[in-house]
Amino acid sequence: MMTARIPLILAIALTANAVSTQTTYNLTHRYRQAASVIPVGDWNGDKHPDFLVGDPDNGRVDLVSGYSFLPLKTWNEPISNSGFGTRLAARDINKDGILDFVVTAPSDQAGQGAFYLIDGKTLAIVNQGLGKGGTFGWSVCFADVYPFIPDGIPEVIIGAPSQPSGTFTEVGEVRIYEVKNYNVTFVGSSAGSGNRERYGESLWRPTVTSMAVRVKSTS
């Protein structure tokens, strides 16, 4: 099990001033409370791109039609006041050609945090992964992580930027979970080193085989 920083082969960029490119989608006034929005392709086959929209204040996530802007499916938080829908990610986990979803809930499990796996075909919540606090679930992405043999099934990477370490606060941590066949297994972590570094504040995947971690500037 890995407990040190993720090996360089993962291509993590620790840049205090890095800014990730984001795309803004206008989903009309109906979704003004949304905290996260990601495209998920043409889920219903109507030749219009659809979206996953997270509303953690109300504990819900909607799969939204890109044609009508109406929900095709709604998931309500399994545990009240969990922040369900804070961050979202999508990749094809089981190689059926349909994107599967990850939904984070930083206040789940009495503040320890959790993420939920959703089968993109059946739209059922099929499993969950548990965190260890530190606003676990503040960021999320998929990436193929060393030392696993690249098999086209990415690991789920979760950021917990408020995780303390010793006398330091908000040092931050990134936790890695294997999700093959929807079985969730914690396989390792990578931590920051400085006070208020907020390592893992945001995560993104520049390429198919790399991942970047953004940290907050301490200057």
Side-chain angles (χ1 to χ4, degrees):
M1 179 181 293
M2 296 179 293
T3 55
R5 286 183 179 271
I6 304 172
L8 291 178
I9 195 168
L10 184 56
I12 289 185
L14 297 177
T15 54
N17 297 318
V19 177
S20 58
T21 301
Q22 298 182 3
T23 302
T24 301
Y25 299 97
N26 179 11
L27 296 182
T28 76
H29 67 281
R30 185 180 291 111
Y31 300 103
R32 283 182 179 174
Q33 298 302 314
S36 53
V37 180
I38 61 170
V40 295
D42 182 9
W43 185 85
N44 60 351
D46 65 355
K47 298 183 179 180
H48 294 273
D50 303 312
F51 302 88
L52 207 62
V53 180
D55 180 1
D57 288 343
N58 292 302
R60 62 181 282 169
V61 172
D62 291 323
L63 175 60
V64 180
S65 166
Y67 176 73
S68 68
F69 294 113
L70 295 174
L72 300 170
K73 170 71 176 181
T74 296
W75 297 269
N76 292 308
E77 55 188 358
I79 296 178
S80 298
N81 302 313
S82 66
F84 182 75
T86 293
R87 296 292 182 268
L88 310 167
R91 283 283 294 276
D92 183 4
I93 294 173
N94 60 350
K95 296 186 176 181
D96 64 355
I98 300 173
L99 292 177
D100 304 297
F101 313 136
V102 167
V103 178
T104 72
S107 298
D108 207 317
Q109 306 299 317
Q112 294 301 294
F115 69 88
Y116 291 86
L117 284 180
I118 297 175
D119 183 332
K121 184 175 182 179
T122 66
L123 300 184
I125 294 177
V126 292
N127 211 338
Q128 70 174 155
L130 305 180
K132 288 193 173 182
T135 55
F136 173 89
W138 185 255
S139 57
V140 60
C141 78
F142 284 98
D144 285 325
V145 179
Y146 174 87
F148 302 104
I149 298 174
D151 56 5
I153 302 174
E155 284 70 50
V156 172
I157 319 299
I158 305 282
S162 297
Q163 190 69 255
S165 178
T167 60
F168 289 166
T169 62
E170 296 188 333
V171 174
E173 180 183 43
V174 171
R175 295 175 67 83
I176 306 165
Y177 297 79
E178 190 176 34
V179 292
K180 190 173 184 178
N181 298 319
Y182 300 129
N183 294 314
V184 176
T185 305
F186 170 69
V187 294
S189 64
S190 175
S193 59
N195 190 45
R196 297 188 183 280
E197 182 179 338
R198 291 188 62 81
Y199 180 84
E201 184 171 51
S202 63
L203 304 168
W204 66 100
R205 188 172 60 96
T207 67
V208 173
T209 58
S210 69
M211 183 189 73
V213 179
R214 182 184 179 188
V215 299
K216 182 180 179 181
S217 174
T218 56
S219 60

